[in-house]
Amino acid sequence: MKAKKVLVFFLFVFLVAGARGAIFDPTTPPTVPEPPLLAAPINFGYAENGGVLSVFWEWSPDGEIIIGPPIFPPPVEAFSVRQVSSYNFKDSVAVEVAELGNVFRFLGNTTNNRYSYNMASLPTVKFRVRAQRINVSTGKTTYSAYLYSPQITRKVKLANPSISPSGGIIFSTDRIILSNNQQATIKYNWVESESNCSSINNWLTYINPLSIGSKSKLCTYAAKDGAISSDINEAVYTVKSSTSAKQIIFIHTDLLGSPVVETQGGEK
């Protein structure tokens, strides 16, 4: 009988404690919930200008922190989780690029929904971006899913054509050779030495070595479909006629001064 009374007493205590709920320490501040997984950026786009590739997308932070359900039993001083300012979080978008294959490397973070990429030597690239939010209080970072770009085939700027000889004194019989190692078409024309190459309206296509005419400045550039034309390269020549070259003639005599043999020296 005594054992039954003890058992009933403990059962009564257990039921009372359950009805009152778990013990809560009002001095412990409520836990601030982490924001859920961020929304991913959308609508990736890009534009190229002068060898610089600008990539852009759409994304904006939520603007507020989602508040979790109230804590029971509530603290004595409040009946809900305290509000948390969005200034407790730092939002940005991380930008990565794959230049060779599918291996991405980190470029940087931006808050402008835009990033400029200027490695013009690589013709094919691919990007991916994702939003990130750093909790300033805890240091914890939350990420969104990635937004991937299509594979982007870039317009590579061509190198200037090589000119040989590259200027200076030449003979009218010399030939000038233009070359480019990117399988590009080489355009050229001649202007007066004091004229600017940008004044040329009618560019000629280079096929065979050039001979110099009445104009002394050679202007040339490389062009190719799907690529950015090179800068204009130029060379200025001073023409020396081969018929005007003077030869030094040596006359050898005997002891009496009579000519014996005649030889030619170099040009003068």
Side-chain angles (χ1 to χ4, degrees), residues 100-266:
L100 301 172
N102 292 317
V103 178
F104 285 89
R105 69 178 181 90
F106 176 73
L107 292 176
N109 288 86
T110 178
T111 58
N112 299 320
N113 285 348
R114 177 179 293 270
Y115 194 91
S116 294
Y117 174 85
N118 55 10
M119 292 185 68
S121 61
L122 297 169
T124 303
V125 292
K126 189 175 182 179
F127 293 88
R128 68 181 185 184
V129 297
R130 65 175 176 177
Q132 71 175 38
R133 172 171 291 169
I134 300 175
N135 186 319
V136 177
S137 300
T138 65
K140 182 177 179 180
T141 303
T142 304
Y143 297 96
S144 75
Y146 278 108
L147 170 66
Y148 286 82
S149 77
Q151 183 167 287
I152 302 172
T153 300
R154 308 186 57 207
K155 292 183 177 181
V156 176
K157 187 173 183 179
L158 299 172
N160 295 349
S162 297
I163 306 175
S164 181
S166 59
I169 298 175
I170 63 172
F171 291 107
S172 58
T173 55
D174 288 341
R175 294 293 179 263
I176 301 167
I177 298 174
L178 308 181
S179 60
N180 174 274
N181 60 5
Q182 295 170 295
Q183 291 77 50
T185 298
I186 299 177
K187 298 291 186 176
Y188 77 97
N189 213 329
W190 296 88
V191 295
E192 300 292 346
S193 59
E194 66 275 7
S195 299
N196 196 306
C197 291
S198 60
S199 64
I200 299 175
N201 295 320
N202 181 30
W203 291 90
L204 307 176
T205 299
Y206 174 79
I207 299 176
N208 296 314
L210 307 176
S211 58
I212 193 168
S214 59
K215 298 176 180 179
S216 58
K217 179 186 283 188
L218 173 62
C219 305
T220 180
Y221 73 93
K224 185 179 181 180
D225 289 340
I228 301 173
S229 296
S230 74
D231 295 329
I232 295 175
N233 197 10
E234 60 183 49
V236 178
Y237 299 93
T238 299
V239 181
K240 185 176 183 181
S241 174
S242 58
T243 58
S244 64
K246 298 180 181 180
Q247 296 289 331
I248 301 175
I249 300 175
F250 298 94
I251 299 177
H252 302 270
T253 63
D254 56 18
L255 294 176
L256 298 178
S258 301
V260 176
V261 66
E262 180 179 299
T263 59
Q264 294 183 349

Side-chain angles (χ1 to χ4, degrees), residues 15-87:
L15 292 175
V16 171
R20 294 180 60 187
I23 298 175
F24 180 78
D25 182 3
T27 63
T28 303
T31 303
V32 178
E34 290 292 337
L37 185 70
L38 299 179
I42 60 174
N43 297 334
F44 189 95
Y46 65 93
E48 187 168 7
N49 183 18
V52 176
L53 189 64
S54 295
V55 296
F56 44 88
W57 54 87
E58 295 179 15
W59 184 80
S60 62
D62 298 334
E64 62 182 15
I65 304 304
I66 297 177
I67 303 302
I71 300 173
F72 291 105
V76 294
E77 71 275 10
F79 289 89
S80 65
V81 177
R82 63 189 177 89
Q83 300 291 314
V84 180
S85 168
S86 61
Y87 291 108

Side-chain angles (χ1 to χ4, degrees), residues 8-24 72-73:
V8 170
F9 173 77
F10 281 111
L11 179 60
F12 174 77
V13 173
F14 176 77
L15 292 175
V16 171
R20 294 180 60 187
I23 298 175
F24 180 78
F72 291 105

